[in-house]
């Protein structure tokens, strides 16, 4: 069987990549076909030392490899049937989401500071561990913390709130602090291995954008920032699809996002979701402990709002 007929699954299957180039690519974080397909020739050449024309060929091959993988409608149906759901702790919010947070999907919670994004992430890390008849998947969670706002104390409290053993719940959450955007992306690459071995059904990135914003401020860095963020989201989407896990990301935006019109990070979901469908939920503060959730551009969900509460025991329906 010639190389052309062989299915391209791995970067070493790409035509024109010898062992040396493959090694260089992997060492520099280009561990997947997707990562290469979304790279620019300049970037690839600069990072790996591969000559520009070769880099161009490699990227072209990676793009072709991605595009020729058709799926049948039947396959899509089977994939949908594998989608599972995790309860948020609030019936109203679950209903808004069509039954809870979905696996195989990136769900983005965006909103201003204090709108409850991190609370929702904590709650989901607990709830994914619940038995299925209580809205969980009896599985573990990964929590990528970029802002240092993860609190085990809060997990303990929420575990008690749903009647699970707090120590067991805390042992089933793998926490890591991402120190910069590069680290954040490397962690996600690492997860492709980890998810093979572990029964993990939720991956949280809280927040997905903060490092990228801090490291690439202003208009002049917009293109670079967006390119890296795209690649990161793309990897997360792939993770969601390959392992049928729920990926939950947060994104802090100002109360009036129109102030940032044209800032692509205010629209992290949407068109950049390549493999996995994205769901975007806007969270807003309301009176007291109440929060309002609104679904934004989700073709399969009805438009609407849900009110929930952040209580001592976690996310609940509002009184
Ligand atoms: P962000 O959207 O910035 O991530 P958070 O998810 O951190 O916001 O939400 C913070 C809010 O959650 C606090 O202002 C408070 O209202 C609520 N909260 C946090 N911890 C508790 C708790 N132990 N008991 C009740 N409410 C809490
Ligand atoms: Mg937060």
């Amino acid at each position: 069987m010639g190389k052309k007929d062989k299915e391209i699954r791995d970067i070493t299957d790409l035509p024109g990549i010898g062992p040396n180039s493959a090694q260089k690519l992997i060492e520099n974080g280009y561990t997947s076909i997707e990562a290469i397909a979304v790279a620019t020739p300049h970037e690839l050449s600069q990072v790996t030392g591969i000559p520009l024309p070769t880099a161009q060929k490699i990227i072209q091959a990676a793009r072709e490899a991605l595009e020729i993988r058709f799926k049948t409608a039947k396959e899509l149906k089977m994939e949908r049937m594998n989608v599972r759901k995790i309860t948020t702790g609030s019936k109203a919010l679950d209903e808004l989401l069509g039954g809870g947070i979905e696996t195989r999907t990136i769900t983005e919670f965006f909103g201003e500071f204090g709108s409850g994004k991190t609370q929702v992430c904590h709650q989901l890390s607990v709830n994914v561990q619940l038995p299925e008849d209580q809205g969980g998947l009896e599985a573990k969670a990964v929590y990528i913390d970029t802002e240092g706002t993860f609190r085990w104390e809060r997990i303990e409290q929420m575990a008690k709130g749903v009647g699970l053993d707090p120590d067991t719940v805390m042992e089933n959450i793998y926490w890591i602090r991402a120190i910069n955007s590069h680290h954040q992306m490397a962690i996600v690459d690492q997860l492709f291995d980890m998810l093979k071995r572990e029964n993990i059904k939720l991956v949280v990135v809280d927040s997905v954008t903060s490092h990228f914003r801090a490291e690439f401020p202003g208009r002049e860095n917009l293109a670079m920032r967006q390119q890296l963020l795209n690649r990161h989201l793309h990897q997360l989407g792939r993770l969601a699809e390959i392992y049928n896990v729920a990926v939950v990301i947060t994104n802090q935006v100002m109360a009036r996002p129109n102030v940032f019109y044209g800032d692509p990070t205010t629209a992290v979901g949407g068109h950049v979701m390549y493999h996995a469908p994205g769901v975007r939920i806007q969270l807003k503060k309301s009176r007291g402990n109440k929060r309002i959730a609104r679904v934004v551009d989700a073709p399969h969900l009805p438009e609407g709002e849900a009110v929930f509460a952040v209580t001592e025991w976690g996310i609940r329906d509002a009184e």
Side-chain angles (χ1 to χ4, degrees), residues 84-85 108-109 112 115 129 133 144 150 152 205 309 317:
R84 298 161 78 192
K85 287 168 186 175
E108 174 191 338
F109 287 94
E112 61 186 307
S115 57
Q129 302 184 41
D133 60 6
I144 304 171
F150 180 83
W152 59 263
V205 189
D317 276 328

Side-chain angles (χ1 to χ4, degrees), residues 112-119 143 147 149 206-207 250 252:
E112 61 186 307
F113 176 79
S115 57
K117 302 180 294 294
T118 296
Q119 295 300 310
Y143 202 109
E147 296 173 337
T149 51
D206 182 25
S207 94
T250 68
Q252 189 161 308

Side-chain angles (χ1 to χ4, degrees), residues 212-213 216 221-229 263-265:
F212 292 90
R213 279 198 179 136
F216 304 98
N221 293 309
L222 203 65
M224 180 54 122
R225 178 171 82 187
Q226 187 63 357
Q227 188 188 321
L228 289 174
L229 199 50
D263 178 351
T265 58

